[in-house]
Amino acid sequence: MAAPVLRGCCLGRCWALACIDSGSRHGRGAATGFTSSGKRGQSFVAQQPLLTAQKSRKGEHKWAAVVGLEIHAQIVSNSKLFSGSQVHFAAPPNSLVSFFDASLPGTLPVLNRRCVEAAVMTGLALNCHINKKSLFDRKHYFYADLPAGYQITQQRLPIAVNGSLAYSVCVGKKWRQVITKTVRIKQIQLEQDSGKSLHDELRSQTLIDLNRAEGQLRVDANISVHHPGEPLGVRTEVKNLNSARFLARAIDYEIQRQINELENGCEILNETRSFDYRLGCTVPMRDKEGKQDYRFMPEPNLPPLLLYDTASLPAGADPQQVINIDRIREQLPELPSETREKLIQQYGILPEHSFALLNEVGLLEFFQNVIKETRAEPKKVTSWVLNIFLGFLKQRNLAVNESPVTPSVLAELLNLLDRKVISSAAAKQVFEELWRSKGKTPSQIVSERKLELMQDEEALERVCHAVMEGHPQVVMDMKRGNPRAINKLIGLVRKVTHNRADPMVIKEILEKQLLS
């Protein structure tokens, strides 16, 4: 109750998409449309309608999908939006409830400064216009976890409007082509969170926890399909999606469901649906034949929210009593798009690698710490971090901060490889051992298992000569120009030396002996 809620709206072609809040189940915004890619497992947003990937038979029309998202995101704050009660996940039911949260008569809302600053920062990050004056409204409806009978929100004049989010998408067979798409943001508004209903099916009871709904992310997706150039189709709303993966699956399914219905001569109902993640499909909840009237009215207990910039800041104003938009802009952290561009420019890595480094929590910091402590080239570090290190994490379902291999340890291993103390194959063996032998250093493992590269070139020449004498047919093939022959000889030498010989050195010796 009264928890910090930020509702966000993204715009597409015709609909108004909703906003960002802090986990409220009851947010109802006009749905705005942006397009979905229609690809399985991922949904992209843009300003143009989607031409579905489904192949049309001769004489058939293609379909375009329009998707609008109403996003409710939890603000990170110590206390609730309109009361001093703490925000603490998994606290005992009703242990964090003030008189205001319980809607006792005579209690008044007090706006949380931290939540306003977070809303402004979000608006700036999404290129929104920040309204220096915004208003609060009451949105009326009855539900047990909303004892006041209304929810405080911003309907008429929200804190931020008319934003946009540009983002890059990797496409193509090898995901190396990067295209930029843009989604429009209609508005961002602060909104009170509701409580949480706990349904006890065994006792046929519903209990109410007024701590807060505790939903870090909730998305309502409004979806319709139509033929390009024709009016938009009837939309359905898929409620309460709580992850990006489920959102993508629900949108993909609903687009295809509507196309199948229309191609079979059926009609699309204007209804609310839910997504069954176990079955991977949407199911009806209720129809929307009649528009629900929330009887929005101005919130009488909250004055207009006034913000300032440096130019309009009143002389002698107490910094604790006003919010300066320009100061918040200065505190805005580097955005992901900027970070990715810096990675590409600074280290010369591929665009898709920059996405991978930022998409896994803690991976970018791990990568940068390795870079600081190794002489290896950034591309070599990128390959090891993304292919080997991240692969081990995925296999064991571990987060980056749970890895037994620290950045310093990986940097030491890459230094050994860079100085040609060990081969690539030996480095991978050492890496595997590092996961099993916590506390050991790469140098210790190399010494214990005798994995150093052979430094005695004369000894290696003798091994190469013996291998060539023992495989005359392969040598003959090599003389005839068969490129596979020399690779086979290299493999045989490495086997004899237990992978302790550098393949490039082996190749040079073989070629020299072949000419002698």
Side-chain angles (χ1 to χ4, degrees):
M1 286 298 299
V5 168
L6 192 61
R7 291 180 73 221
C9 303
C10 305
L11 280 175
R13 278 187 74 210
C14 297
W15 297 341
L17 174 63
C19 333
I20 303 177
D21 68 25
S22 157
S24 167
R25 284 191 312 100
H26 303 294
R28 312 256 200 272
T32 65
F34 55 71
T35 61
S36 162
S37 73
K39 293 182 179 180
R40 177 60 54 191
Q42 55 189 327
S43 292
F44 304 140
V45 292
Q47 290 178 304
Q48 297 301 321
L50 161 74
L51 296 182
T52 67
Q54 181 188 44
K55 293 183 179 179
S56 300
R57 291 183 290 272
K58 189 173 181 179
E60 289 185 330
H61 298 290
K62 292 183 178 179
W63 291 96
V66 180
V67 180
L69 300 184
E70 178 178 343
I71 305 166
H72 305 255
Q74 176 180 327
I75 296 175
V76 178
S77 64
N78 295 325
S79 57
K80 299 182 183 181
L81 181 58
F82 295 121
S83 82
S85 296
Q86 287 186 331
V87 174
H88 182 65
F89 181 74
N94 295 311
S95 62
L96 305 175
V97 181
S98 69
F99 290 154
F100 174 78
D101 301 333
S103 304
L104 296 187
T107 56
L108 298 173
V110 178
L111 186 58
N112 184 326
R113 177 190 179 95
R114 156 64 188 158
C115 294
V116 176
E117 292 174 338
V120 173
M121 184 170 286
T122 303
L124 293 174
L126 294 174
N127 304 301
C128 292
H129 169 73
I130 308 298
N131 287 323
K132 293 183 179 178
K133 177 182 178 180
S134 60
L135 304 174
F136 288 95
D137 305 284
R138 287 186 178 182
K139 176 173 154 186
H140 294 83
Y141 61 89
F142 173 78
Y143 204 79
D145 56 20
L146 193 70
Y150 62 84
Q151 182 180 34
I152 301 177
T153 186
Q154 292 186 309
Q155 176 71 13
R156 297 168 297 158
L157 189 57
I159 196 168
V161 295
N162 300 333
S164 65
L165 174 64
Y167 59 97
S168 299
V169 181
C170 293
V171 297
K173 291 183 178 180
K174 295 185 178 180
W175 295 88
R176 293 192 177 181
Q177 180 186 353
V178 178
I179 61 174
T180 300
K181 290 177 175 279
T182 302
V183 57
R184 292 180 290 154
I185 311 296
K186 182 196 175 195
Q187 67 188 57
I188 292 174
Q189 64 197 62
L190 288 161
E191 183 173 276
Q192 176 185 12
D193 199 1
S194 64
K196 183 178 182 181
S197 298
L198 305 170
H199 303 290
D200 186 343
E201 296 181 0
L202 185 63
R203 296 179 177 84
S204 299
Q205 293 178 339
T206 294
L207 305 177
I208 304 299
D209 179 7
L210 294 181
N211 283 353
R212 65 165 303 156
E214 286 304 345
Q216 293 185 339
L217 175 71
R218 289 291 185 274
V219 183
D220 301 334
N222 289 267
I223 304 160
S224 74
V225 299
H226 66 284
H227 293 305
E230 297 182 1
L232 297 184
V234 175
R235 65 182 174 92
T236 62
E237 182 180 28
V238 183
K239 297 286 291 185
N240 295 329
L241 297 158
N242 60 7
S243 77
R245 183 165 62 92
F246 288 164
L247 172 63
R249 290 175 59 193
I251 290 173
D252 289 341
Y253 175 85
E254 187 60 17
I255 289 173
Q256 196 58 54
R257 184 192 71 84
Q258 292 187 21
I259 291 174
N260 292 340
E261 291 283 317
L262 293 171
E263 289 186 343
N264 289 323
C266 301
E267 294 183 356
I268 302 300
L269 301 179
N270 182 210
E271 62 182 352
T272 298
R273 301 175 71 88
S274 64
F275 179 67
D276 188 322
Y277 69 92
R278 290 180 294 264
L279 299 177
C281 65
T282 64
V283 294
M285 291 175 64
R286 56 182 179 270
D287 62 44
K288 287 188 173 184
E289 291 182 359
K291 182 179 179 181
Q292 189 162 0
D293 183 8
Y294 293 110
R295 295 183 293 112
F296 285 101
M297 61 171 282
E299 168 53 61
N301 294 324
L302 286 169
L305 174 58
L306 301 179
L307 307 177
Y308 301 90
D309 55 22
T310 303
S312 62
L313 193 66
D318 182 354
Q320 298 301 316
Q321 298 299 318
V322 297
I323 290 180
N324 188 332
I325 299 171
D326 289 334
R327 185 163 185 177
I328 295 176
R329 193 190 309 274
E330 293 171 358
Q331 299 170 352
L332 195 67
E334 184 175 84
L335 299 178
S337 58
E338 299 170 331
T339 304
R340 286 194 293 267
E341 186 60 32
K342 282 186 177 181
L343 288 171
I344 295 170
Q345 297 298 326
Q346 184 174 357
Y347 301 120
I349 65 177
L350 297 173
E352 63 267 26
H353 292 164
S354 70
F355 280 91
L357 288 173
L358 265 70
N359 286 348
E360 192 75 26
V361 175
L363 191 60
L364 175 60
E365 183 181 3
F366 186 97
F367 168 80
Q368 291 175 327
N369 287 335
V370 175
I371 286 284
K372 291 176 185 176
E373 300 186 48
T374 184
R375 297 170 47 190
E377 294 182 353
K379 290 184 179 180
K380 175 76 74 174
V381 177
T382 304
S383 176
W384 270 81
V385 169
L386 295 183
N387 297 328
I388 299 175
F389 175 75
L390 189 57
F392 269 70
L393 290 179
K394 296 294 186 184
Q395 290 172 10
R396 293 155 179 81
N397 197 27
L398 295 176
V400 173
N401 60 5
E402 296 174 319
S403 167
V405 177
T406 65
S408 297
V409 168
L410 181 56
E412 181 187 340
L413 176 60
L414 293 179
N415 283 336
L416 294 175
L417 185 60
D418 184 67
R419 299 201 312 266
K420 298 187 182 302
V421 175
I422 56 176
S423 66
S424 296
K428 292 176 182 178
Q429 293 180 47
V430 174
F431 188 82
E432 292 177 1
E433 185 66 25
L434 287 169
W435 281 80
R436 296 190 293 266
S437 305
K438 191 173 182 180
K440 287 189 178 181
T441 67
S443 297
Q444 288 174 329
I445 295 173
V446 168
S447 177
E448 290 173 1
R449 300 185 60 177
K450 296 181 172 53
L451 295 173
E452 303 94 337
L453 282 174
M454 290 182 62
Q455 302 299 329
D456 188 342
E457 190 167 330
E458 290 185 1
L460 186 56
E461 287 178 349
R462 289 194 293 272
V463 172
C464 291
H465 182 72
V467 168
M468 292 178 72
E469 283 196 339
H471 298 81
Q473 184 59 50
V474 179
V475 173
M476 187 62 66
D477 292 341
M478 182 178 167
K479 289 180 178 180
R480 292 171 179 169
N482 187 341
R484 294 182 179 180
I486 192 167
N487 291 334
K488 184 171 183 179
L489 288 174
I490 291 172
L492 291 169
V493 173
R494 294 187 68 196
K495 184 176 181 181
V496 172
T497 60
H498 303 287
N499 291 324
R500 294 182 57 205
D502 187 336
M504 295 303 297
V505 175
I506 297 173
K507 184 178 181 182
E508 290 176 3
I509 293 174
L510 290 173
E511 290 176 340
K512 183 171 67 174
Q513 291 188 357
L514 186 66
L515 296 174
S516 61

